[in-house]
Structure formats: C-alpha cells, structure tokens
Amino acid sequence: MNEYDLTGRVAVVTGGAQGFGRAITDRFVASGAKVAIWDHDITLAEKTAKEIGPEVAAFKVDVTDPAGVEKVRDEVLKAFGKIDILVNNAGIAGINKTVWETDLEEWRKVLRINLDGPFICCKAIVPAMLKQGYGRIVNIASIAGKEGNPNAAHYSSSKAGLIALTKSLGKELAQHDILVNAVTPAAARTAIFDQMTQQHIDFMLSKIPKGRFVLVEELAALVAWLASEDCAFSTGAVFDISGGRATY
Ligand SMILES: NC(=O)c1ccc[n+]([C@@H]2O[C@H](COP(=O)([O-])OP(=O)(O)OC[C@H]3O[C@@H](n4cnc5c(N)ncnc54)[C@H](O)[C@@H]3O)[C@@H](O)[C@H]2O)c1
C-alpha cells in the first residue's frame, strides 16, 4: 500500500457507515486522519466507527437537510477543531425503470440525495475551509454520469450534475489551496446493489472491459490521494476508475 500522509487531518465522509464510505474511512484512518462519518443510518455508522477505532466518530444526519448538516458541521468543528477533507459519498441508486415509467417523486428523490446532498454539504463546509486556507473535497460520482445508463436516468443525471458541480466549485476555489475533484467508479459490489435489478447489475458488469467490479479498497486508494497534499494541482477534475469503460 502506498502511503499518503493525512496525519492531523480531519475528514467528513458522508455515507461512511458502509460500502465505499467505510473503505474510505478505513484508508483515511490508516493514513493518520480522524474521520467524522455522516450517515442517516446511525446504528450502522456507530457500529462501523467502533469497529475502526477511536479516530472515528459517527454523526446522524440526512444530507438533504440543510439545517441538520449545519448542526453536525458545528458539532464536528467543536469536537475536532476543523474540517480539512470532505468526501461527498452518500448516495442511492433509485429504482431501475425507463424514463417514461419513472415517477417524478422517485426522480426527485435520487436528485435530492445524490446532487442536492453534495451541494448542501459543500455550502456548509467550504466557508470553514476558506477560513483556514486549506481543503480537499472529493465527490463520488459514477461512470453512469458520463455514459448515461439505461433504466437509471435519475441516477445518471444526478452523477452528471455532480461532475458539473465539481467543475464549477473547483474553479471558484482555484485561487485557494482548496481542491475539488470527482471520481467516476464503475460498479462495486456493495449494499447499493440491493436497490437494483439483477438485469441492471449484469448490464453494468458487461460494460466493464476488465471483466469484474471495482473493489472498494481500489476506490479508497484513489480518494486517499485526492484527499492528500500530494494532490496539489488537480482541481475541477474527474478521475476515472471504471476498469476501462470510460471513453473520455
Ligand atoms: N457501488 C457502486 O456500484 C457504485 C458505483 C459508482 C458510484 N457509486 C457511488 O458511491 C457512493 C457510495 O455507494 P455505496 O455503493 O457505498 O452505497 P451503500 O448503499 O453501500 O452506502 C451508502 C451509504 O449512504 C448512506 N446514505 C444514503 N442516503 C443518505 C442520506 N440522505 N443522508 C445520509 N446518508 C445517506 C446510507 O445509509 C449508506 O450507509 C454513492 O454515491 C454511489 O452512487 C457506487
């Protein structure tokens, strides 16, 4: 394992109770950081925090609730003194349906969590990063945001929006030592698969030239670099981790 030095850093990982978020939390702690897991499943978040160690604290929050996000931001600032790293990872897949079969409310739900959520968390945390003159923001988008998966227009659109949010905010903060980048993973076998049809899972696997799903640890390694000082000149950028699927 390559070491990226996160000693003394404080990170917020949304949706850190399981899946990608848990692997990112593991990797951050192994690199010397303290991590605040923000998850609406507080039971699982607390279990995960306990299993990883005293460097991790769990906070219950729904990332779509601006007042709730501001409240936990203040709690983290009080407990840890600062926030250096924000990983916008909380997200859902939504139901696999064609556009014309998708309810407007289902569409909005996916957009709310996957796109409004990162906007709300950035809006709440960036001022603290500006004050301290340092920050690293990593947005967990998806290859679906670049390619557009059939039967997942809400999800694909939310991740395309997250890529654009990354590019806009990256430019807004480029004069500061605050970098904003996105990663676009292929599918990984996590609990999110429970929300998808088997047909959709098979479709995603069939699209990956490497012929397998990405491992959560592989994604965490990329995120650890993007969250570190070693990443110093990349911002507003999109980092592929799609096993060869991405064509741009
Ligand atoms: N697993 C994949 O195939 C895959 C591929 C590409 C991108 N992604 C993205 O990676 C991220 C993590 O996915 P995962 O596979 O680890 O999912 P997961 O379902 O295993 O974990 C998601 C976590 O987010 C939390 N969460 C969901 N909605 C929330 C909300 N409103 N507020 C706070 N917490 C909330 C859940 O409680 C859960 O702990 C998501 O943004 C997902 O879209 C996943």
Side-chain angles (χ1 to χ4, degrees), residues 21-213:
R22 180 182 174 138
I24 292 163
T25 301
D26 262 327
R27 179 83 194 216
F28 280 5
V29 168
S31 309
K34 289 190 170 66
V35 179
I37 291 177
W38 287 7
D39 206 295
H40 65 176
D41 186 342
I42 190 62
T43 310
L44 190 56
E46 278 174 347
K47 184 170 171 281
T48 299
K50 208 169 157 200
E51 283 169 7
I52 297 177
E55 303 85 358
V56 184
F59 296 81
K60 181 178 170 61
V61 68
D62 180 339
V63 294
T64 67
D65 170 19
V69 165
E70 283 175 18
K71 185 168 161 277
V72 287
R73 177 218 38 214
D74 291 345
E75 285 171 15
V76 172
L77 288 173
K78 200 166 167 215
F80 295 107
K82 58 178 183 165
I83 298 171
D84 301 301
I85 300 163
L86 166 64
V87 182
N88 282 307
N89 165 79
I92 61 166
I95 294 166
N96 292 133
K97 285 189 173 166
T98 58
V99 167
W100 60 94
E101 289 166 338
T102 301
D103 288 339
L104 180 58
E105 191 37 48
E106 175 68 10
W107 166 272
R108 284 184 175 151
K109 184 176 152 198
V110 175
L111 269 286
R112 258 199 315 271
I113 296 173
N114 295 3
L115 184 55
D116 291 7
F119 165 78
I120 289 165
C121 292
C122 288
K123 188 171 162 61
I125 291 177
V126 165
M129 290 180 167
L130 280 168
K131 218 163 143 192
Q132 71 195 16
Y134 182 86
R136 295 287 181 270
I137 298 174
V138 186
N139 293 325
I140 310 300
S142 167
I143 185 67
K146 291 164 91 177
E147 304 272 318
N149 281 345
N151 302 307
H154 45 18
Y155 183 79
S156 305
S157 303
S158 71
K159 296 301 186 179
L162 186 54
I163 289 170
L165 170 63
T166 302
K167 293 183 179 189
S168 297
L169 185 59
K171 291 182 185 76
E172 288 168 7
L173 294 170
Q175 294 296 315
H176 306 267
D177 189 8
I178 303 173
L179 309 181
V180 189
N181 291 295
V183 294
T184 51
R189 194 174 285 288
T190 69
I192 210 170
F193 273 27
D194 298 345
Q195 301 168 36
M196 303 170 191
T197 61
Q198 189 57 44
Q199 193 188 13
H200 192 67
I201 293 167
D202 294 344
F203 164 80
M204 292 189 302
L205 182 59
S206 75
K207 288 286 174 190
I208 303 173
K210 277 188 91 63
R212 66 166 174 84
F213 296 118

